[in-house]
Amino acid sequence: MPASTQQLYERFVGLLRETELLDSCSSLLGWDQETYMPERGADHRAEQLALLAGMVHAKRTDPEIKGLLGELEQSKLMADPQSAAAVNVRETRRVCDRASRVPPKLVEEIARTTSLARGHWVEARKKGDFSRFLPWLEKIVSLKQQEAEALGYGDHPYDALLDDYEPGATSAGLGKLFEPLRSALADLLQRIVNSPTQAPVEVLTRRYPVSDQEAFGRMAAQAIHFDFHGGRLDVTTHPFCTGIGPGDTRITTRYDEHDLGNSFFSILHECGHGIYDQGLDPQHYGTPLGKAVSLGIHESQSRLWENYVGRSRPFWEHFFPQAQAAFPDALSDVALDDFHRAVNDVRPSFIRTESDEVTYNLHIFLRFELERALIVGDLKPADVPGVWNETFERDFGLRPPDDRRGCLQDIHWSGGGIGYFPTYTLGNLYGAQFFARARVELGDLDAQLARGEFAPLKSWLNEKIHRQGQRWRGAELVAVVTGKPPSHEALAGYLENKYGELYGV
Ligand code: ZN
């Protein structure tokens, strides 16, 4: 390889790292905004974030990067399409082309508006008053429509936005993947609702002191190998995980003294995201090979730890005695079987983040339907509460009593995250496929989990998924790791077996 090509490549990697460092400052400010920033800091924070978004955008569209991309694409470095250099050039080209299509003014306007909208959404949600959020939603939908037009698309403007979260996915493709899952879930749910078996959910709403919940959650996070020397756990309204950079991954949860499951499973969920971020290769920091593939793959990791591991019987064979020791007043008279059934209670409910494994995806399908309609203009933001409630009643047989438990519950739209929701269902699908494969490759996985041995599974995920960075796109990675393209089958089969047995249906 001629030295000059190597030098060009090193310069290219240096520029990518600088961009990532700058972008990680936005991540840190975003984390602070959700955790410790005082209320009156919101306007100043919006200015900081808009400035940084503009700077990152300028770096991504810098003529020097474009020039380097052009030269490197013609070089021998591209001979092996899966080599580090080829992957980094290919994925940077994708991001750079996307960024170049959006005018800088629009980028800054979206960053400023969504940063301000966040606070108005919090207020509107607290008061259950959609009218406070409506002007912001209108502005955001209009900005996102402009963004989709600027980006360009094939079939549907929604595809342009979706591509930001799940590169390569289209709404038509997702429709095909989701439809058989929707009918399988509707059928399973109907049988469960009609079953005489009821989970003893009362045990989870006894008194669980918040400080004990925190200690127990931390202990479990550590046990599944979330690294607290390279991470933090804090409290927010809406749990999340943000990877600031190598050695700094932050997760959050929320506590309710009379709801053990809410905080505990949020912690496991966010740990799954955190373990992915902590497992990225620091040598490739700032380049696509050191980055997560997509939100769908990210969510597969959180769902795997939260549900496929964390709601399994073997997991609680190990942790239930420790839970009884941590919460003697609440759990001393509870049997493991009853506790396991309680954490796997299935019933139609209003809040997505608190919903069970069977109904969860139905919440996503509703949002997917409404978002697509918002972006093409078939649904006006002002009509969202009414249409939400009607659609919810159609799918769940319940009508949300207020917008707090309806269209105001999620943070995503206030942050401009239109196109984000379907990645949750992709995560459930991908996660089920990965977990089924891990079961084959790791042998006695259930026995390992029951002994509290989480290292083999974590190392398997590190090697097969985390260390691969963006070598493959989401759907390709699933096929490479599991030998099968993404499908609803692993998830539908898992749910059918597990809940068929728990509910005797
Ligand atoms: Zn998640």
Side-chain angles (χ1 to χ4, degrees), residues 352-370:
R352 173 185 61 85
T353 56
E354 294 167 14
S355 66
D356 55 80
E357 290 182 275
V358 177
T359 56
Y360 187 91
N361 295 298
L362 300 174
H363 288 270
I364 298 305
F365 299 150
L366 179 151
R367 288 154 177 79
F368 180 45
E369 188 177 328
L370 265 56

Side-chain angles (χ1 to χ4, degrees), residues 29-334:
L29 290 175
W31 171 85
D32 176 73
Q33 174 168 317
E34 300 301 321
T35 49
Y36 296 111
M37 185 191 81
E39 222 174 287
R40 286 173 57 200
D43 290 349
H44 182 63
R45 183 56 44 90
E47 292 306 315
Q48 290 177 309
L49 288 169
L51 176 66
L52 283 169
M55 289 166 77
V56 168
H57 184 259
K59 280 190 157 301
R60 288 205 175 117
T61 52
D62 190 312
E64 190 183 357
I65 275 280
K66 286 188 191 165
L68 285 167
L69 275 173
E71 296 213 42
L72 292 168
E73 279 165 346
Q74 303 306 317
S75 77
K76 284 184 189 156
L77 286 177
M78 303 301 105
D80 172 6
Q82 300 313 327
S83 70
V87 169
N88 287 336
V89 167
R90 179 193 75 209
E91 292 304 312
T92 303
R93 164 64 74 190
R94 194 188 84 78
V95 172
C96 183
D97 281 356
R98 260 185 81 86
S100 304
R101 286 188 224 123
V102 187
K105 268 206 157 77
L106 182 57
V107 172
E108 286 175 37
E109 186 59 14
I110 290 173
R112 186 178 297 111
T113 305
T114 54
S115 176
L116 289 170
R118 188 80 44 111
H120 293 274
W121 166 75
V122 170
E123 270 303 294
R125 177 174 177 263
K126 203 185 286 171
K127 303 208 159 72
D129 181 1
F130 181 76
S131 68
R132 281 172 180 257
F133 181 53
L134 177 59
W136 293 95
L137 183 61
E138 283 172 337
K139 202 164 173 201
I140 287 167
V141 169
S142 154
L143 289 169
K144 296 304 275 188
Q145 285 168 335
Q146 291 170 48
E147 191 187 4
E149 289 308 319
L151 286 165
Y153 49 84
D155 286 346
H156 201 289
Y158 188 78
D159 294 354
L161 304 179
L162 182 61
D163 195 65
D164 200 21
Y165 306 111
E166 197 65 25
T170 62
S171 56
L174 294 186
K176 277 194 201 120
L177 199 54
F178 291 172
E179 211 34 58
L181 182 63
R182 181 201 281 272
S183 35
L185 292 177
D187 171 64
L188 177 60
L189 180 62
Q190 205 49 49
R191 281 182 281 139
I192 291 172
V193 167
N194 294 331
S195 161
T197 308
Q198 290 284 317
V201 286
E202 169 274 327
V203 303
L204 293 173
T205 59
R206 294 177 178 181
R207 188 172 165 268
Y208 294 89
V210 167
S211 58
D212 297 339
Q213 285 193 46
E214 208 217 320
F216 184 67
R218 247 174 221 283
M219 182 275 297
Q222 218 147 8
I224 65 168
H225 304 286
F226 177 78
D227 176 12
F228 278 100
H229 296 292
R232 286 185 60 88
L233 169 63
D234 292 272
V235 179
T236 47
T237 319
H238 194 96
F240 68 93
C241 167
T242 187
I244 309 293
D248 193 352
T249 298
R250 306 188 180 200
I251 60 172
T252 69
T253 190
R254 55 182 168 208
Y255 297 100
D256 174 343
E257 193 171 61
H258 289 280
D259 188 349
L260 176 64
N262 195 327
S263 75
F264 185 77
F265 290 106
S266 291
I267 290 174
L268 287 187
H269 180 101
E270 301 309 334
C271 273
H273 286 304
I275 289 168
Y276 188 179
D277 286 342
Q278 290 179 337
L280 295 170
D281 192 340
Q283 292 213 13
H284 292 294
Y285 174 72
T287 71
L289 214 57
K291 282 187 192 170
V293 182
S294 66
L295 289 187
I297 296 293
H298 229 303
E299 192 69 6
S300 76
Q301 302 304 290
S302 57
R303 287 308 207 165
L304 189 142
W305 288 104
E306 176 194 359
N307 289 335
Y308 308 140
V309 174
R311 289 181 205 269
S312 74
R313 167 91 199 193
F315 180 87
W316 287 106
E317 281 169 28
H318 176 69
F319 277 110
F320 189 61
Q322 299 179 58
Q324 283 184 310
F327 310 104
D329 294 346
L331 292 177
S332 59
D333 66 338
V334 176

